[in-house]
Amino acid sequence: RLPVPKLEDTIRRYLNAQKPLLNDDQFRKTEELAHHFEKGIGRELHEQLVAQDNQNKHTSYITGPWFDMYLKAREPVVLNFNAFMSFNPDRKSEYNDQLIRATNMTFSALRFMKTFRAGYLEPEVFHLNPEKSDTQMFKKIIRFVPSSVSWFGAYMVNAYPLDMSQYFRLFNSTRLPKLDKDELYTDEKAKHLLVLRNGNFYVFDVIDKDGNILKPSEIQAHLKYILSNNSPAPAFPLGYLSSENRDTWALLRKNLLDNGNEEALQKVDSAVFCLSLDDFPVKDFVHLSHTMLHGDGANRWYDKSFNLIITKDGTAGINFEHSWGDGVAVLRFQNEVFKDSTTTPAISPQSQPASVDSSRAVQKLDFKLNDALKAGITKAKQKFDASVEALSINMIQFHEGGKDLLKQKKVSPDAVAQLAFQMAFFRQYNQTVATYESCSTAAFKHGRTETIRPASIHTKKCSEAFVTELSKCSTEELQHLIVECSKYHGRLTKEAAMGQGFDRHLFGLRYLALSKGIALPDFYQDQAYARLNHNIISTSTLVSPAVQLGGFGPVVSDGFGVGYQVQDDWIGCNVSSYPTRNGKEFLQSIYKSLEDIFNVLKGKKIGS
């Protein structure tokens, strides 16, 4: 179970995170409020939270508040919450044809769904010592140990089974807009796939009456029919509604239902997943990121648990809604689909589609729109276009080193990437700001995420040395500063992964106070608390053989959204920003920081 940290630990960690962001006077005030909170109302709330947690052993203390946080948010899901991960291309280039890839990936996704529902999907396990635990022998033995104690057997060899409770929401699931708080809806009985092309909605069954997956050649035939359908784009594409403010969308949805669209919407909401087929090829990585993060607004249904997007040239990616689950579940699905569709593809370039009557099997959904709905769609499109217009995405690849060299120098690759972001921001804006790094707590029952706070007194000191005090420091001193940053970041990462961060605990206490009608404690009204939670640099990392790159929008209007990956011999970075920040300059600054760090680690003297 996810532990509730000790209150004194949380306060200490919170103050450590505040220190680099505040001057001495501000810090004294924040410290005073924190200790007052720890001895008074904070202590009472903490005891109530622990008692409540002990009564709800079937879940974790963060589950309810975290779902609420997502589902009560009223901002549009696109750019604010939905993230994307794009697939690597198939190594066999002829398999990257849009129809072939769409058929193969759809079939593999359905195989994953069936395997999962039958209880045959291999458990997700984090192996700290894979030589011992990631073996056939271990799997054979652990299979016969009763499940109530099998996790303990895994712990003994440093293998940590991860929570898979989110997986069922991958399929047949949608976030439904409701006033004040949305709902998650899942209908596992539905057998059809939703396909979007040119803003038009199509559905066809992919599971037959006996629960078997439709033959690949039939899926291919139906997708070919949709790809060759020359219906014009609708004058009022419904997809835009799922990009609206949630309350606005909730009212428009009610209007849609009242206007005779209940059956069509039910088809959309209950579909196994949404396959979006785009009619253009991808030009470059920046175009790829824009396509997968937001697209044109008409050919997506952002409320589905995920959209599998495949462009004209067979480039594929996933855009996923974030309230139901985190990157770990989506990444597992993506890894399996990539592996299955590339190593054992269901169809080949030589395969012929089945001779079936697709015009009967495929249903095009028509929506009845009144003037208010047409006006609503027009307004949603205007807002969507304006948001997307304001968004910049930039990226770099640093090829002067990666994970291998950093491990050789005994520093953490993730710590170095995060240090480069801190140094870059300091170089560009001459300040240290609130920074967020996501860390999964899936090692615990119903764990979600915890925050690592990469901005520390160590990264601040190191940034100052590299940016403003270079002439005063020897290469050895700079190396020592990098090592200190790495050690501290390693400690924060370990604490967060073990449920010993401070962000979720403080969030849970605040949620409890509000739910009990208690006046919000002064601690939470401190400007420094608000500033720490205004995450100007929001970061997330992933490395996988299936994934080419991932990204998300900035979480605040004056922020950067940083998706990054540290590979064996290179580092990739994808940055989103709005006009108040210059993402291109930030990336150039990150590149310079990485260059400096690597040169220092190699023992070279660097110039300012």
Side-chain angles (χ1 to χ4, degrees), residues 9-121:
D9 288 345
T10 287
I11 296 299
R12 173 177 51 77
R13 289 169 182 143
Y14 168 75
L15 290 171
N16 283 343
Q18 284 287 16
K19 201 145 205 180
L21 312 181
L22 305 172
N23 64 32
D24 291 350
D25 288 347
Q26 290 169 325
F27 185 74
R28 263 197 300 277
K29 185 195 164 204
T30 292
E31 192 175 34
E32 201 178 302
L33 284 168
H35 290 314
H36 184 69
F37 176 74
E38 185 188 344
K39 292 185 185 83
I41 182 71
R43 175 68 49 201
E44 289 170 40
L45 288 168
H46 174 74
E47 281 163 11
Q48 285 179 34
L49 184 71
V50 170
Q52 201 179 61
D53 184 54
N54 286 334
Q55 283 167 354
N56 291 283
K57 295 213 161 132
H58 62 285
T59 186
S60 74
Y61 77 89
I62 200 62
T63 302
W66 209 240
F67 272 124
D68 262 18
M69 181 270 300
Y70 272 122
L71 296 172
K72 283 182 172 171
R74 300 292 83 194
E75 301 90 346
V77 292
V78 65
L79 298 189
N80 294 305
F81 295 105
N82 286 28
F84 84 87
M85 295 192 274
S86 74
F87 286 95
N88 270 316
D90 194 314
R91 277 203 280 272
K92 304 181 292 294
S93 59
E94 67 276 20
Y95 280 81
N96 290 315
D97 169 88
Q98 186 178 28
L99 175 60
I100 290 168
R101 203 161 198 207
T103 305
N104 283 330
M105 285 194 152
T106 298
F107 194 76
S108 291
L110 294 167
R111 287 189 66 197
F112 179 95
M113 178 183 83
K114 285 207 57 160
T115 309
F116 170 67
R117 287 185 179 164
Y120 288 124
L121 192 67

Side-chain angles (χ1 to χ4, degrees), residues 401-410 413 566-569:
K403 201 185 289 174
D404 290 348
L405 191 125
L406 295 171
K407 284 187 167 171
Q408 197 186 314
K409 300 289 177 191
K410 296 190 168 43
V566 185
Q567 299 283 5
D568 290 346
D569 54 359

Side-chain angles (χ1 to χ4, degrees), residues 134-145:
D134 200 3
T135 62
Q136 288 308 117
M137 183 69 175
F138 173 74
K139 287 173 189 176
K140 213 176 230 173
I141 295 168
I142 207 78
R143 193 171 286 146
F144 295 105
V145 181

Side-chain angles (χ1 to χ4, degrees), residues 133-267:
S133 56
D134 200 3
T135 62
Q136 288 308 117
M137 183 69 175
F138 173 74
K139 287 173 189 176
K140 213 176 230 173
I141 295 168
I142 207 78
R143 193 171 286 146
F144 295 105
V145 181
S147 60
S148 56
V149 287
S150 59
W151 61 273
F152 188 73
Y155 278 12
M156 298 305 286
V157 289
N158 252 339
Y160 297 87
L162 302 184
D163 178 75
M164 293 172 77
S165 62
Q166 297 171 4
Y167 284 48
F168 83 100
R169 291 267 191 216
L170 268 166
F171 304 103
N172 301 100
S173 298
T174 297
R175 173 175 174 158
L176 301 178
K178 302 276 177 177
L179 287 174
D180 302 326
K181 183 185 167 183
D182 292 354
E183 277 171 26
L184 290 174
Y185 167 84
T186 301
D187 174 9
E188 292 188 357
K189 289 190 289 293
K191 296 176 164 57
H192 60 280
L193 178 70
L194 170 66
V195 184
L196 300 189
R197 178 169 167 256
N198 204 12
N200 290 305
F201 288 58
Y202 304 88
V203 290
F204 64 86
D205 281 356
V206 283
I207 303 287
D208 68 18
K209 60 181 189 314
D210 300 321
N212 299 314
I213 304 173
L214 210 61
K215 287 195 196 90
S217 59
E218 292 184 29
I219 294 175
Q220 183 186 6
H222 298 336
L223 292 177
K224 187 178 180 182
Y225 170 78
I226 291 169
L227 283 168
S228 53
N229 187 306
N230 49 18
S231 297
F236 299 94
L238 206 74
Y240 286 112
L241 293 180
S242 66
S243 75
E244 250 295 8
N245 165 285
R246 304 307 291 177
D247 282 340
T248 309
W249 173 203
L251 294 169
L252 287 164
R253 182 183 159 87
K254 191 179 179 313
N255 189 338
L256 269 171
L257 291 168
D258 295 345
N259 209 43
N261 296 294
E262 195 170 345
E263 202 181 313
L265 275 176
Q266 173 62 23
K267 289 268 192 215

Side-chain angles (χ1 to χ4, degrees), residues 261-512:
N261 296 294
E262 195 170 345
E263 202 181 313
L265 275 176
Q266 173 62 23
K267 289 268 192 215
V268 171
D269 297 336
S270 63
V272 175
F273 62 88
C274 176
L275 173 66
S276 298
L277 300 171
D278 284 347
D279 280 347
F280 54 83
V282 164
K283 295 196 273 278
D284 53 34
F285 281 143
V286 170
H287 183 222
L288 170 69
S289 296
H290 281 292
T291 301
M292 300 305 171
L293 183 60
H294 55 74
D296 67 355
N299 214 41
R300 304 282 182 273
W301 195 252
Y302 301 109
D303 289 354
K304 279 306 271 181
S305 54
F306 70 90
N307 286 242
L308 171 59
I309 302 156
I310 302 182
T311 62
K312 192 81 180 157
D313 59 354
T315 303
I318 279 179
N319 176 296
F320 67 97
E321 197 281 311
H322 220 319
S323 64
W324 65 270
D326 304 304
V328 236
V330 183
L331 189 60
R332 170 70 189 272
F333 168 67
Q334 201 156 354
N335 286 341
E336 298 282 5
V337 166
F338 181 74
K339 188 179 168 189
D340 190 63
S341 65
T342 55
T343 55
T344 54
I347 65 163
S348 74
Q350 288 72 44
S351 304
Q352 287 303 309
S355 310
V356 285
D357 185 358
S358 294
S359 64
R360 287 187 60 180
V362 178
Q363 180 194 354
K364 182 168 176 281
L365 300 180
D366 287 310
F367 297 92
K368 303 177 188 75
L369 304 177
N370 56 28
D371 289 347
L373 287 165
K374 287 176 183 175
I377 292 170
T378 304
K379 197 163 181 202
K381 181 184 186 321
Q382 288 165 352
K383 284 189 192 169
F384 174 85
D385 289 346
S387 301
V388 163
E389 187 62 35
L391 181 84
S392 295
I393 296 178
N394 294 279
M395 59 188 60
I396 53 156
Q397 285 188 355
F398 176 83
H399 284 282
E400 290 172 46
K403 201 185 289 174
D404 290 348
L405 191 125
L406 295 171
K407 284 187 167 171
Q408 197 186 314
K409 300 289 177 191
K410 296 190 168 43
V411 289
S412 147
D414 189 58
V416 165
Q418 289 289 345
L419 173 60
F421 306 151
Q422 292 302 314
M423 218 180 267
F425 196 91
F426 187 78
R427 181 179 279 115
Q428 199 178 351
Y429 298 102
N430 198 30
Q431 63 178 143
T432 296
V433 290
T435 306
Y436 182 107
E437 179 181 359
S438 178
C439 176
S440 171
T441 50
F444 299 98
K445 189 181 185 69
H446 293 190
R448 293 286 311 235
T449 58
E450 181 52 273
T451 310
I452 299 169
R453 292 288 180 176
S456 67
I457 50 171
H458 303 282
T459 60
K460 190 176 185 177
K461 194 176 168 187
C462 193
S463 300
E464 285 167 352
F466 271 81
V467 177
T468 57
E469 296 160 13
L470 205 51
S471 55
K472 298 181 204 161
C473 302
S474 70
T475 304
E476 286 71 30
E477 285 168 329
L478 293 173
Q479 283 175 343
H480 176 70
L481 288 171
I482 296 169
V483 169
E484 284 305 298
C485 290
S486 174
K487 278 184 192 159
Y488 187 70
H489 188 78
R491 198 178 97 201
L492 291 182
T493 304
K494 201 168 179 179
E495 285 174 352
M498 296 314 289
Q500 294 293 335
F502 67 83
D503 279 84
R504 298 299 174 268
H505 187 196
L506 290 179
F507 181 84
L509 296 175
R510 183 176 184 273
Y511 179 89
L512 186 64

